[in-house]
Amino acid sequence: MDSTEKVLQQIIQYQNINGLSDQQMADKIGCSRPLYQRTRTAKIPMGGTFIRGAMRVLEDTGKQGRKSIIQRITKETNINLEINIDGTGDYSINTGVRIFDHLLSHIARHGLFDIKLTAIGDDIHHLVEDVAICLGKAFGEALAEKKGIVRMASASVPMDETLATVVVDIGGRGYPVIKAEFSGNDLSGLPVDLVRHFLESFAIEARINLHAAIAYGTNDHHKAEALFKALGRALDAATRIDERIAGEVPSTKGYLEK
């Protein structure tokens, strides 16, 4: 994919995520609606006016914070995701699986990440896996070179009788270690094994070390919820900017894999 094709793909993702009409996109880019529609559908090549306007829209989006827009369309799932690392915990999440929406909302609320997510899938395994892939990719893209971040952090969260701990290192190496035992097989319609699979897929795609453990507990809902709350808190702490190293990559190598 060349640079102009990537710009067009990002513009289409931007339109889908924000629910904008073709006319609204044409106004933002500074061209006519027919020109925008013909370019978007690849009926004509991208002209100079379109490219300059599209780059301006994407640059303005980038100036608003550490953000990423991800769209994943396969024969199994259709996912649109937008994340703002420097958010306030606002979220709009709809995967069609209420308990999964509930768990994901804890990452946003307790991590203070703004997340907009819509997802549909042909089965729940593909849905959870692909949402994890998109969320991991979004974190990686939003953090880019990872300059100035704290990088390593941990959080322990209790929920009644349960205690969960999550430790992360945003170091460019995807490696999950999950020690979480559940007593049943189903969590309000979500197979409990998908909790583990989500965490593993997220860690690998985000290229982070993620160690998650349930120290003790008896209620499966409490265990899952405590894990996702702890993940949000740990990611929040690890992605914060340490002003003492602002502009520097937190590594003795001077580089972290994206």
Side-chain angles (χ1 to χ4, degrees), residues 95-104 123-129 182 184-199 220-221 224-225 228:
T95 67
V97 182
R98 293 185 65 181
I99 185 62
F100 189 36
D101 294 350
H102 177 62
L103 294 175
L104 291 171
D123 70 44
I124 196 166
H125 181 96
H126 294 150
L127 179 72
V128 172
E129 180 179 60
F182 293 89
N185 295 317
D186 181 81
L187 187 67
S188 301
L190 179 72
V192 293
D193 187 59
L194 291 182
V195 172
R196 175 191 301 275
H197 190 50
F198 173 87
L199 296 173
D220 283 350
H221 185 111
E225 189 164 318
F228 276 72

PDB file of all heavy atoms in Angstrom, residues 95-104 123-129 182 184-199 220-221 224-225 228:
ATOM      1  N   THR A  95     -20.897  -4.245  21.367  1.00  0.00           N
ATOM      2  CA  THR A  95     -20.439  -5.454  20.682  1.00  0.00           C
ATOM      3  C   THR A  95     -21.571  -6.461  20.500  1.00  0.00           C
ATOM      4  O   THR A  95     -21.366  -7.509  19.893  1.00  0.00           O
ATOM      5  CB  THR A  95     -19.315  -6.140  21.481  1.00  0.00           C
ATOM      6  OG1 THR A  95     -19.853  -6.640  22.721  1.00  0.00           O
ATOM      7  CG2 THR A  95     -18.177  -5.168  21.765  1.00  0.00           C
ATOM      8  N   GLY A  96     -22.742  -6.144  21.069  1.00  0.00           N
ATOM      9  CA  GLY A  96     -23.844  -7.090  21.019  1.00  0.00           C
ATOM     10  C   GLY A  96     -23.808  -8.106  22.137  1.00  0.00           C
ATOM     11  O   GLY A  96     -24.732  -8.917  22.271  1.00  0.00           O
ATOM     12  N   VAL A  97     -22.745  -8.079  22.951  1.00  0.00           N
ATOM     13  CA  VAL A  97     -22.610  -8.991  24.100  1.00  0.00           C
ATOM     14  C   VAL A  97     -22.512  -8.113  25.343  1.00  0.00           C
ATOM     15  O   VAL A  97     -21.475  -7.505  25.605  1.00  0.00           O
ATOM     16  CB  VAL A  97     -21.366  -9.892  23.978  1.00  0.00           C
ATOM     17  CG1 VAL A  97     -21.286 -10.862  25.159  1.00  0.00           C
ATOM     18  CG2 VAL A  97     -21.386 -10.660  22.653  1.00  0.00           C
ATOM     19  N   ARG A  98     -23.572  -8.027  26.100  1.00  0.00           N
ATOM     20  CA  ARG A  98     -23.664  -7.036  27.168  1.00  0.00           C
ATOM     21  C   ARG A  98     -22.577  -7.203  28.231  1.00  0.00           C
ATOM     22  O   ARG A  98     -22.016  -6.218  28.701  1.00  0.00           O
ATOM     23  CB  ARG A  98     -25.051  -7.093  27.819  1.00  0.00           C
ATOM     24  CG  ARG A  98     -26.164  -6.649  26.875  1.00  0.00           C
ATOM     25  CD  ARG A  98     -27.513  -6.598  27.565  1.00  0.00           C
ATOM     26  NE  ARG A  98     -27.542  -5.585  28.616  1.00  0.00           N
ATOM     27  CZ  ARG A  98     -28.595  -5.358  29.385  1.00  0.00           C
ATOM     28  NH1 ARG A  98     -29.700  -6.073  29.241  1.00  0.00           N
ATOM     29  NH2 ARG A  98     -28.554  -4.409  30.309  1.00  0.00           N
ATOM     30  N   ILE A  99     -22.264  -8.416  28.611  1.00  0.00           N
ATOM     31  CA  ILE A  99     -21.235  -8.609  29.633  1.00  0.00           C
ATOM     32  C   ILE A  99     -19.858  -8.198  29.102  1.00  0.00           C
ATOM     33  O   ILE A  99     -19.037  -7.644  29.831  1.00  0.00           O
ATOM     34  CB  ILE A  99     -21.207 -10.073  30.150  1.00  0.00           C
ATOM     35  CG1 ILE A  99     -20.214 -10.221  31.310  1.00  0.00           C
ATOM     36  CG2 ILE A  99     -20.868 -11.038  29.016  1.00  0.00           C
ATOM     37  CD1 ILE A  99     -20.543  -9.401  32.530  1.00  0.00           C
ATOM     38  N   PHE A 100     -19.622  -8.423  27.819  1.00  0.00           N
ATOM     39  CA  PHE A 100     -18.354  -8.013  27.209  1.00  0.00           C
ATOM     40  C   PHE A 100     -18.274  -6.489  27.160  1.00  0.00           C
ATOM     41  O   PHE A 100     -17.231  -5.903  27.471  1.00  0.00           O
ATOM     42  CB  PHE A 100     -18.233  -8.623  25.813  1.00  0.00           C
ATOM     43  CG  PHE A 100     -16.881  -8.462  25.164  1.00  0.00           C
ATOM     44  CD1 PHE A 100     -15.706  -8.528  25.909  1.00  0.00           C
ATOM     45  CD2 PHE A 100     -16.789  -8.256  23.795  1.00  0.00           C
ATOM     46  CE1 PHE A 100     -14.461  -8.381  25.305  1.00  0.00           C
ATOM     47  CE2 PHE A 100     -15.552  -8.108  23.182  1.00  0.00           C
ATOM     48  CZ  PHE A 100     -14.390  -8.170  23.942  1.00  0.00           C
ATOM     49  N   ASP A 101     -19.374  -5.841  26.781  1.00  0.00           N
ATOM     50  CA  ASP A 101     -19.424  -4.375  26.808  1.00  0.00           C
ATOM     51  C   ASP A 101     -19.111  -3.862  28.212  1.00  0.00           C
ATOM     52  O   ASP A 101     -18.378  -2.881  28.389  1.00  0.00           O
ATOM     53  CB  ASP A 101     -20.806  -3.878  26.398  1.00  0.00           C
ATOM     54  CG  ASP A 101     -21.162  -4.182  24.949  1.00  0.00           C
ATOM     55  OD1 ASP A 101     -20.270  -4.613  24.192  1.00  0.00           O
ATOM     56  OD2 ASP A 101     -22.334  -3.992  24.591  1.00  0.00           O
ATOM     57  N   HIS A 102     -19.694  -4.522  29.210  1.00  0.00           N
ATOM     58  CA  HIS A 102     -19.512  -4.130  30.606  1.00  0.00           C
ATOM     59  C   HIS A 102     -18.038  -4.227  31.012  1.00  0.00           C
ATOM     60  O   HIS A 102     -17.489  -3.301  31.626  1.00  0.00           O
ATOM     61  CB  HIS A 102     -20.370  -5.031  31.495  1.00  0.00           C
ATOM     62  CG  HIS A 102     -20.227  -4.784  32.954  1.00  0.00           C
ATOM     63  ND1 HIS A 102     -20.549  -3.578  33.551  1.00  0.00           N
ATOM     64  CD2 HIS A 102     -19.784  -5.596  33.961  1.00  0.00           C
ATOM     65  CE1 HIS A 102     -20.325  -3.657  34.854  1.00  0.00           C
ATOM     66  NE2 HIS A 102     -19.860  -4.866  35.125  1.00  0.00           N
ATOM     67  N   LEU A 103     -17.390  -5.310  30.649  1.00  0.00           N
ATOM     68  CA  LEU A 103     -15.978  -5.483  31.001  1.00  0.00           C
ATOM     69  C   LEU A 103     -15.102  -4.456  30.283  1.00  0.00           C
ATOM     70  O   LEU A 103     -14.204  -3.853  30.890  1.00  0.00           O
ATOM     71  CB  LEU A 103     -15.528  -6.908  30.661  1.00  0.00           C
ATOM     72  CG  LEU A 103     -16.181  -8.032  31.471  1.00  0.00           C
ATOM     73  CD1 LEU A 103     -15.744  -9.394  30.946  1.00  0.00           C
ATOM     74  CD2 LEU A 103     -15.850  -7.906  32.958  1.00  0.00           C
ATOM     75  N   LEU A 104     -15.356  -4.236  28.998  1.00  0.00           N
ATOM     76  CA  LEU A 104     -14.564  -3.264  28.242  1.00  0.00           C
ATOM     77  C   LEU A 104     -14.737  -1.853  28.788  1.00  0.00           C
ATOM     78  O   LEU A 104     -13.803  -1.050  28.768  1.00  0.00           O
ATOM     79  CB  LEU A 104     -14.969  -3.300  26.770  1.00  0.00           C
ATOM     80  CG  LEU A 104     -14.601  -4.570  25.986  1.00  0.00           C
ATOM     81  CD1 LEU A 104     -15.262  -4.553  24.613  1.00  0.00           C
ATOM     82  CD2 LEU A 104     -13.090  -4.712  25.847  1.00  0.00           C
ATOM     83  N   ASP A 123     -19.526 -15.223  15.358  1.00  0.00           N
ATOM     84  CA  ASP A 123     -19.650 -15.964  16.613  1.00  0.00           C
ATOM     85  C   ASP A 123     -18.868 -15.226  17.695  1.00  0.00           C
ATOM     86  O   ASP A 123     -18.060 -14.335  17.413  1.00  0.00           O
ATOM     87  CB  ASP A 123     -19.211 -17.432  16.487  1.00  0.00           C
ATOM     88  CG  ASP A 123     -17.716 -17.619  16.288  1.00  0.00           C
ATOM     89  OD1 ASP A 123     -16.922 -16.945  16.985  1.00  0.00           O
ATOM     90  OD2 ASP A 123     -17.324 -18.453  15.466  1.00  0.00           O
ATOM     91  N   ILE A 124     -19.104 -15.579  18.935  1.00  0.00           N
ATOM     92  CA  ILE A 124     -18.567 -14.807  20.041  1.00  0.00           C
ATOM     93  C   ILE A 124     -17.052 -14.932  20.158  1.00  0.00           C
ATOM     94  O   ILE A 124     -16.367 -13.984  20.558  1.00  0.00           O
ATOM     95  CB  ILE A 124     -19.260 -15.222  21.363  1.00  0.00           C
ATOM     96  CG1 ILE A 124     -18.999 -14.165  22.446  1.00  0.00           C
ATOM     97  CG2 ILE A 124     -18.838 -16.612  21.802  1.00  0.00           C
ATOM     98  CD1 ILE A 124     -19.892 -14.309  23.650  1.00  0.00           C
ATOM     99  N   HIS A 125     -16.497 -16.079  19.775  1.00  0.00           N
ATOM    100  CA  HIS A 125     -15.037 -16.246  19.843  1.00  0.00           C
ATOM    101  C   HIS A 125     -14.342 -15.283  18.885  1.00  0.00           C
ATOM    102  O   HIS A 125     -13.407 -14.574  19.270  1.00  0.00           O
ATOM    103  CB  HIS A 125     -14.655 -17.688  19.503  1.00  0.00           C
ATOM    104  CG  HIS A 125     -13.181 -17.933  19.567  1.00  0.00           C
ATOM    105  ND1 HIS A 125     -12.534 -18.468  20.669  1.00  0.00           N
ATOM    106  CD2 HIS A 125     -12.183 -17.694  18.664  1.00  0.00           C
ATOM    107  CE1 HIS A 125     -11.246 -18.555  20.448  1.00  0.00           C
ATOM    108  NE2 HIS A 125     -11.001 -18.089  19.233  1.00  0.00           N
ATOM    109  N   HIS A 126     -14.803 -15.263  17.637  1.00  0.00           N
ATOM    110  CA  HIS A 126     -14.209 -14.350  16.658  1.00  0.00           C
ATOM    111  C   HIS A 126     -14.385 -12.903  17.076  1.00  0.00           C
ATOM    112  O   HIS A 126     -13.489 -12.069  16.893  1.00  0.00           O
ATOM    113  CB  HIS A 126     -14.844 -14.571  15.277  1.00  0.00           C
ATOM    114  CG  HIS A 126     -14.552 -15.910  14.691  1.00  0.00           C
ATOM    115  ND1 HIS A 126     -15.412 -16.555  13.831  1.00  0.00           N
ATOM    116  CD2 HIS A 126     -13.482 -16.739  14.845  1.00  0.00           C
ATOM    117  CE1 HIS A 126     -14.896 -17.714  13.465  1.00  0.00           C
ATOM    118  NE2 HIS A 126     -13.727 -17.854  14.065  1.00  0.00           N
ATOM    119  N   LEU A 127     -15.551 -12.585  17.642  1.00  0.00           N
ATOM    120  CA  LEU A 127     -15.839 -11.222  18.064  1.00  0.00           C
ATOM    121  C   LEU A 127     -14.866 -10.758  19.144  1.00  0.00           C
ATOM    122  O   LEU A 127     -14.231  -9.700  19.024  1.00  0.00           O
ATOM    123  CB  LEU A 127     -17.270 -11.130  18.577  1.00  0.00           C
ATOM    124  CG  LEU A 127     -17.715  -9.762  19.089  1.00  0.00           C
ATOM    125  CD1 LEU A 127     -17.906  -8.805  17.927  1.00  0.00           C
ATOM    126  CD2 LEU A 127     -18.998  -9.880  19.893  1.00  0.00           C
ATOM    127  N   VAL A 128     -14.725 -11.544  20.205  1.00  0.00           N
ATOM    128  CA  VAL A 128     -13.847 -11.170  21.321  1.00  0.00           C
ATOM    129  C   VAL A 128     -12.397 -11.092  20.865  1.00  0.00           C
ATOM    130  O   VAL A 128     -11.665 -10.150  21.204  1.00  0.00           O
ATOM    131  CB  VAL A 128     -14.004 -12.170  22.482  1.00  0.00           C
ATOM    132  CG1 VAL A 128     -12.951 -11.919  23.562  1.00  0.00           C
ATOM    133  CG2 VAL A 128     -15.402 -12.073  23.084  1.00  0.00           C
ATOM    134  N   GLU A 129     -11.972 -12.060  20.089  1.00  0.00           N
ATOM    135  CA  GLU A 129     -10.590 -12.094  19.610  1.00  0.00           C
ATOM    136  C   GLU A 129     -10.268 -10.869  18.749  1.00  0.00           C
ATOM    137  O   GLU A 129      -9.233 -10.212  18.941  1.00  0.00           O
ATOM    138  CB  GLU A 129     -10.351 -13.362  18.806  1.00  0.00           C
ATOM    139  CG  GLU A 129      -8.933 -13.498  18.260  1.00  0.00           C
ATOM    140  CD  GLU A 129      -8.763 -14.795  17.497  1.00  0.00           C
ATOM    141  OE1 GLU A 129      -9.485 -15.001  16.492  1.00  0.00           O
ATOM    142  OE2 GLU A 129      -7.931 -15.605  17.922  1.00  0.00           O
ATOM    143  N   PHE A 182     -11.325 -19.943  36.837  1.00  0.00           N
ATOM    144  CA  PHE A 182     -12.747 -19.678  37.032  1.00  0.00           C
ATOM    145  C   PHE A 182     -13.456 -20.972  37.419  1.00  0.00           C
ATOM    146  O   PHE A 182     -13.041 -22.061  36.993  1.00  0.00           O
ATOM    147  CB  PHE A 182     -13.352 -19.098  35.755  1.00  0.00           C
ATOM    148  CG  PHE A 182     -12.845 -17.719  35.413  1.00  0.00           C
ATOM    149  CD1 PHE A 182     -11.707 -17.555  34.629  1.00  0.00           C
ATOM    150  CD2 PHE A 182     -13.506 -16.596  35.882  1.00  0.00           C
ATOM    151  CE1 PHE A 182     -11.231 -16.288  34.317  1.00  0.00           C
ATOM    152  CE2 PHE A 182     -13.039 -15.320  35.567  1.00  0.00           C
ATOM    153  CZ  PHE A 182     -11.899 -15.162  34.794  1.00  0.00           C
ATOM    154  N   GLY A 184     -16.728 -21.720  36.799  1.00  0.00           N
ATOM    155  CA  GLY A 184     -17.717 -22.160  35.815  1.00  0.00           C
ATOM    156  C   GLY A 184     -17.202 -22.018  34.400  1.00  0.00           C
ATOM    157  O   GLY A 184     -16.015 -21.740  34.165  1.00  0.00           O
ATOM    158  N   ASN A 185     -18.099 -22.206  33.433  1.00  0.00           N
ATOM    159  CA  ASN A 185     -17.724 -22.116  32.025  1.00  0.00           C
ATOM    160  C   ASN A 185     -18.384 -20.935  31.319  1.00  0.00           C
ATOM    161  O   ASN A 185     -18.000 -20.592  30.202  1.00  0.00           O
ATOM    162  CB  ASN A 185     -18.098 -23.397  31.289  1.00  0.00           C
ATOM    163  CG  ASN A 185     -17.310 -24.599  31.774  1.00  0.00           C
ATOM    164  OD1 ASN A 185     -16.103 -24.498  31.980  1.00  0.00           O
ATOM    165  ND2 ASN A 185     -17.984 -25.727  31.975  1.00  0.00           N
ATOM    166  N   ASP A 186     -19.379 -20.327  31.967  1.00  0.00           N
ATOM    167  CA  ASP A 186     -20.138 -19.272  31.318  1.00  0.00           C
ATOM    168  C   ASP A 186     -20.274 -18.071  32.243  1.00  0.00           C
ATOM    169  O   ASP A 186     -20.518 -18.217  33.439  1.00  0.00           O
ATOM    170  CB  ASP A 186     -21.536 -19.773  30.929  1.00  0.00           C
ATOM    171  CG  ASP A 186     -22.351 -18.701  30.216  1.00  0.00           C
ATOM    172  OD1 ASP A 186     -22.144 -18.533  28.999  1.00  0.00           O
ATOM    173  OD2 ASP A 186     -23.160 -18.045  30.881  1.00  0.00           O
ATOM    174  N   LEU A 187     -20.085 -16.878  31.655  1.00  0.00           N
ATOM    175  CA  LEU A 187     -20.195 -15.635  32.417  1.00  0.00           C
ATOM    176  C   LEU A 187     -21.258 -14.768  31.756  1.00  0.00           C
ATOM    177  O   LEU A 187     -20.957 -13.955  30.882  1.00  0.00           O
ATOM    178  CB  LEU A 187     -18.834 -14.927  32.435  1.00  0.00           C
ATOM    179  CG  LEU A 187     -18.701 -13.687  33.313  1.00  0.00           C
ATOM    180  CD1 LEU A 187     -18.814 -14.051  34.783  1.00  0.00           C
ATOM    181  CD2 LEU A 187     -17.362 -13.000  33.043  1.00  0.00           C
ATOM    182  N   SER A 188     -22.494 -15.001  32.117  1.00  0.00           N
ATOM    183  CA  SER A 188     -23.626 -14.241  31.558  1.00  0.00           C
ATOM    184  C   SER A 188     -23.611 -14.219  30.032  1.00  0.00           C
ATOM    185  O   SER A 188     -23.835 -13.189  29.403  1.00  0.00           O
ATOM    186  CB  SER A 188     -23.618 -12.815  32.112  1.00  0.00           C
ATOM    187  OG  SER A 188     -23.710 -12.810  33.520  1.00  0.00           O
ATOM    188  N   GLY A 189     -23.307 -15.363  29.431  1.00  0.00           N
ATOM    189  CA  GLY A 189     -23.286 -15.460  27.974  1.00  0.00           C
ATOM    190  C   GLY A 189     -21.907 -15.373  27.350  1.00  0.00           C
ATOM    191  O   GLY A 189     -21.757 -15.563  26.142  1.00  0.00           O
ATOM    192  N   LEU A 190     -20.898 -15.090  28.174  1.00  0.00           N
ATOM    193  CA  LEU A 190     -19.519 -15.029  27.687  1.00  0.00           C
ATOM    194  C   LEU A 190     -18.752 -16.237  28.223  1.00  0.00           C
ATOM    195  O   LEU A 190     -18.605 -16.377  29.443  1.00  0.00           O
ATOM    196  CB  LEU A 190     -18.843 -13.745  28.170  1.00  0.00           C
ATOM    197  CG  LEU A 190     -17.376 -13.551  27.761  1.00  0.00           C
ATOM    198  CD1 LEU A 190     -17.285 -13.222  26.266  1.00  0.00           C
ATOM    199  CD2 LEU A 190     -16.721 -12.430  28.586  1.00  0.00           C
ATOM    200  N   PRO A 191     -18.271 -17.126  27.346  1.00  0.00           N
ATOM    201  CA  PRO A 191     -17.463 -18.242  27.825  1.00  0.00           C
ATOM    202  C   PRO A 191     -16.255 -17.716  28.606  1.00  0.00           C
ATOM    203  O   PRO A 191     -15.535 -16.851  28.114  1.00  0.00           O
ATOM    204  CB  PRO A 191     -17.030 -18.950  26.532  1.00  0.00           C
ATOM    205  CG  PRO A 191     -18.093 -18.579  25.532  1.00  0.00           C
ATOM    206  CD  PRO A 191     -18.485 -17.181  25.880  1.00  0.00           C
ATOM    207  N   VAL A 192     -16.032 -18.224  29.814  1.00  0.00           N
ATOM    208  CA  VAL A 192     -15.004 -17.643  30.668  1.00  0.00           C
ATOM    209  C   VAL A 192     -13.603 -17.771  30.065  1.00  0.00           C
ATOM    210  O   VAL A 192     -12.726 -16.948  30.339  1.00  0.00           O
ATOM    211  CB  VAL A 192     -15.024 -18.278  32.081  1.00  0.00           C
ATOM    212  CG1 VAL A 192     -16.302 -17.922  32.810  1.00  0.00           C
ATOM    213  CG2 VAL A 192     -14.840 -19.785  32.005  1.00  0.00           C
ATOM    214  N   ASP A 193     -13.384 -18.783  29.228  1.00  0.00           N
ATOM    215  CA  ASP A 193     -12.065 -18.926  28.616  1.00  0.00           C
ATOM    216  C   ASP A 193     -11.736 -17.750  27.708  1.00  0.00           C
ATOM    217  O   ASP A 193     -10.560 -17.468  27.443  1.00  0.00           O
ATOM    218  CB  ASP A 193     -11.986 -20.227  27.817  1.00  0.00           C
ATOM    219  CG  ASP A 193     -10.580 -20.497  27.297  1.00  0.00           C
ATOM    220  OD1 ASP A 193      -9.653 -20.593  28.127  1.00  0.00           O
ATOM    221  OD2 ASP A 193     -10.404 -20.602  26.067  1.00  0.00           O
ATOM    222  N   LEU A 194     -12.753 -17.026  27.239  1.00  0.00           N
ATOM    223  CA  LEU A 194     -12.504 -15.879  26.382  1.00  0.00           C
ATOM    224  C   LEU A 194     -11.944 -14.688  27.154  1.00  0.00           C
ATOM    225  O   LEU A 194     -11.392 -13.763  26.548  1.00  0.00           O
ATOM    226  CB  LEU A 194     -13.783 -15.478  25.638  1.00  0.00           C
ATOM    227  CG  LEU A 194     -14.251 -16.470  24.564  1.00  0.00           C
ATOM    228  CD1 LEU A 194     -15.496 -15.949  23.849  1.00  0.00           C
ATOM    229  CD2 LEU A 194     -13.134 -16.739  23.551  1.00  0.00           C
ATOM    230  N   VAL A 195     -12.082 -14.681  28.471  1.00  0.00           N
ATOM    231  CA  VAL A 195     -11.420 -13.647  29.275  1.00  0.00           C
ATOM    232  C   VAL A 195      -9.915 -13.782  29.120  1.00  0.00           C
ATOM    233  O   VAL A 195      -9.203 -12.817  28.844  1.00  0.00           O
ATOM    234  CB  VAL A 195     -11.828 -13.747  30.768  1.00  0.00           C
ATOM    235  CG1 VAL A 195     -10.993 -12.789  31.611  1.00  0.00           C
ATOM    236  CG2 VAL A 195     -13.305 -13.459  30.930  1.00  0.00           C
ATOM    237  N   ARG A 196      -9.431 -15.012  29.274  1.00  0.00           N
ATOM    238  CA  ARG A 196      -7.996 -15.281  29.084  1.00  0.00           C
ATOM    239  C   ARG A 196      -7.581 -14.970  27.647  1.00  0.00           C
ATOM    240  O   ARG A 196      -6.551 -14.325  27.416  1.00  0.00           O
ATOM    241  CB  ARG A 196      -7.695 -16.740  29.400  1.00  0.00           C
ATOM    242  CG  ARG A 196      -6.240 -17.155  29.114  1.00  0.00           C
ATOM    243  CD  ARG A 196      -6.084 -18.665  29.202  1.00  0.00           C
ATOM    244  NE  ARG A 196      -6.462 -19.138  30.527  1.00  0.00           N
ATOM    245  CZ  ARG A 196      -5.620 -19.162  31.556  1.00  0.00           C
ATOM    246  NH1 ARG A 196      -4.380 -18.752  31.410  1.00  0.00           N
ATOM    247  NH2 ARG A 196      -6.024 -19.622  32.720  1.00  0.00           N
ATOM    248  N   HIS A 197      -8.391 -15.413  26.695  1.00  0.00           N
ATOM    249  CA  HIS A 197      -8.034 -15.241  25.284  1.00  0.00           C
ATOM    250  C   HIS A 197      -7.995 -13.765  24.906  1.00  0.00           C
ATOM    251  O   HIS A 197      -7.128 -13.338  24.122  1.00  0.00           O
ATOM    252  CB  HIS A 197      -9.028 -15.984  24.398  1.00  0.00           C
ATOM    253  CG  HIS A 197      -8.626 -16.060  22.965  1.00  0.00           C
ATOM    254  ND1 HIS A 197      -7.370 -16.481  22.546  1.00  0.00           N
ATOM    255  CD2 HIS A 197      -9.305 -15.748  21.824  1.00  0.00           C
ATOM    256  CE1 HIS A 197      -7.297 -16.430  21.235  1.00  0.00           C
ATOM    257  NE2 HIS A 197      -8.444 -15.980  20.769  1.00  0.00           N
ATOM    258  N   PHE A 198      -8.912 -12.971  25.453  1.00  0.00           N
ATOM    259  CA  PHE A 198      -8.897 -11.532  25.199  1.00  0.00           C
ATOM    260  C   PHE A 198      -7.599 -10.916  25.695  1.00  0.00           C
ATOM    261  O   PHE A 198      -6.937 -10.150  24.966  1.00  0.00           O
ATOM    262  CB  PHE A 198     -10.078 -10.851  25.886  1.00  0.00           C
ATOM    263  CG  PHE A 198     -10.032  -9.347  25.806  1.00  0.00           C
ATOM    264  CD1 PHE A 198     -10.573  -8.681  24.719  1.00  0.00           C
ATOM    265  CD2 PHE A 198      -9.420  -8.596  26.802  1.00  0.00           C
ATOM    266  CE1 PHE A 198     -10.513  -7.300  24.630  1.00  0.00           C
ATOM    267  CE2 PHE A 198      -9.353  -7.215  26.723  1.00  0.00           C
ATOM    268  CZ  PHE A 198      -9.900  -6.566  25.632  1.00  0.00           C
ATOM    269  N   LEU A 199      -7.226 -11.206  26.919  1.00  0.00           N
ATOM    270  CA  LEU A 199      -6.008 -10.626  27.499  1.00  0.00           C
ATOM    271  C   LEU A 199      -4.770 -11.038  26.711  1.00  0.00           C
ATOM    272  O   LEU A 199      -3.875 -10.221  26.457  1.00  0.00           O
ATOM    273  CB  LEU A 199      -5.876 -11.045  28.961  1.00  0.00           C
ATOM    274  CG  LEU A 199      -6.971 -10.534  29.907  1.00  0.00           C
ATOM    275  CD1 LEU A 199      -6.819 -11.171  31.285  1.00  0.00           C
ATOM    276  CD2 LEU A 199      -6.929  -9.022  30.018  1.00  0.00           C
ATOM    277  N   ASP A 220     -17.146 -15.723  39.786  1.00  0.00           N
ATOM    278  CA  ASP A 220     -16.523 -15.535  38.473  1.00  0.00           C
ATOM    279  C   ASP A 220     -16.729 -14.124  37.925  1.00  0.00           C
ATOM    280  O   ASP A 220     -15.830 -13.565  37.282  1.00  0.00           O
ATOM    281  CB  ASP A 220     -17.073 -16.555  37.476  1.00  0.00           C
ATOM    282  CG  ASP A 220     -16.476 -17.939  37.673  1.00  0.00           C
ATOM    283  OD1 ASP A 220     -15.504 -18.069  38.448  1.00  0.00           O
ATOM    284  OD2 ASP A 220     -16.989 -18.892  37.053  1.00  0.00           O
ATOM    285  N   HIS A 221     -17.890 -13.550  38.151  1.00  0.00           N
ATOM    286  CA  HIS A 221     -18.132 -12.181  37.690  1.00  0.00           C
ATOM    287  C   HIS A 221     -17.171 -11.222  38.374  1.00  0.00           C
ATOM    288  O   HIS A 221     -16.583 -10.338  37.724  1.00  0.00           O
ATOM    289  CB  HIS A 221     -19.576 -11.765  37.981  1.00  0.00           C
ATOM    290  CG  HIS A 221     -19.935 -10.418  37.439  1.00  0.00           C
ATOM    291  ND1 HIS A 221     -20.807 -10.240  36.396  1.00  0.00           N
ATOM    292  CD2 HIS A 221     -19.522  -9.172  37.787  1.00  0.00           C
ATOM    293  CE1 HIS A 221     -20.921  -8.949  36.120  1.00  0.00           C
ATOM    294  NE2 HIS A 221     -20.160  -8.274  36.967  1.00  0.00           N
ATOM    295  N   ALA A 224     -13.587 -11.588  36.809  1.00  0.00           N
ATOM    296  CA  ALA A 224     -13.431 -10.962  35.493  1.00  0.00           C
ATOM    297  C   ALA A 224     -13.440  -9.447  35.614  1.00  0.00           C
ATOM    298  O   ALA A 224     -12.614  -8.758  35.004  1.00  0.00           O
ATOM    299  CB  ALA A 224     -14.541 -11.439  34.562  1.00  0.00           C
ATOM    300  N   GLU A 225     -14.365  -8.921  36.409  1.00  0.00           N
ATOM    301  CA  GLU A 225     -14.479  -7.474  36.532  1.00  0.00           C
ATOM    302  C   GLU A 225     -13.232  -6.881  37.187  1.00  0.00           C
ATOM    303  O   GLU A 225     -12.730  -5.833  36.761  1.00  0.00           O
ATOM    304  CB  GLU A 225     -15.724  -7.111  37.330  1.00  0.00           C
ATOM    305  CG  GLU A 225     -16.027  -5.628  37.328  1.00  0.00           C
ATOM    306  CD  GLU A 225     -17.438  -5.310  37.775  1.00  0.00           C
ATOM    307  OE1 GLU A 225     -18.372  -6.038  37.361  1.00  0.00           O
ATOM    308  OE2 GLU A 225     -17.611  -4.333  38.529  1.00  0.00           O
ATOM    309  N   PHE A 228     -10.373  -6.673  34.599  1.00  0.00           N
ATOM    310  CA  PHE A 228     -10.487  -5.603  33.616  1.00  0.00           C
ATOM    311  C   PHE A 228     -10.292  -4.232  34.258  1.00  0.00           C
ATOM    312  O   PHE A 228      -9.722  -3.327  33.640  1.00  0.00           O
ATOM    313  CB  PHE A 228     -11.829  -5.695  32.885  1.00  0.00           C
ATOM    314  CG  PHE A 228     -11.821  -6.650  31.725  1.00  0.00           C
ATOM    315  CD1 PHE A 228     -11.778  -8.018  31.931  1.00  0.00           C
ATOM    316  CD2 PHE A 228     -11.840  -6.184  30.414  1.00  0.00           C
ATOM    317  CE1 PHE A 228     -11.755  -8.905  30.867  1.00  0.00           C
ATOM    318  CE2 PHE A 228     -11.818  -7.052  29.347  1.00  0.00           C
ATOM    319  CZ  PHE A 228     -11.768  -8.426  29.572  1.00  0.00           C
TER     320      PHE A 228
END
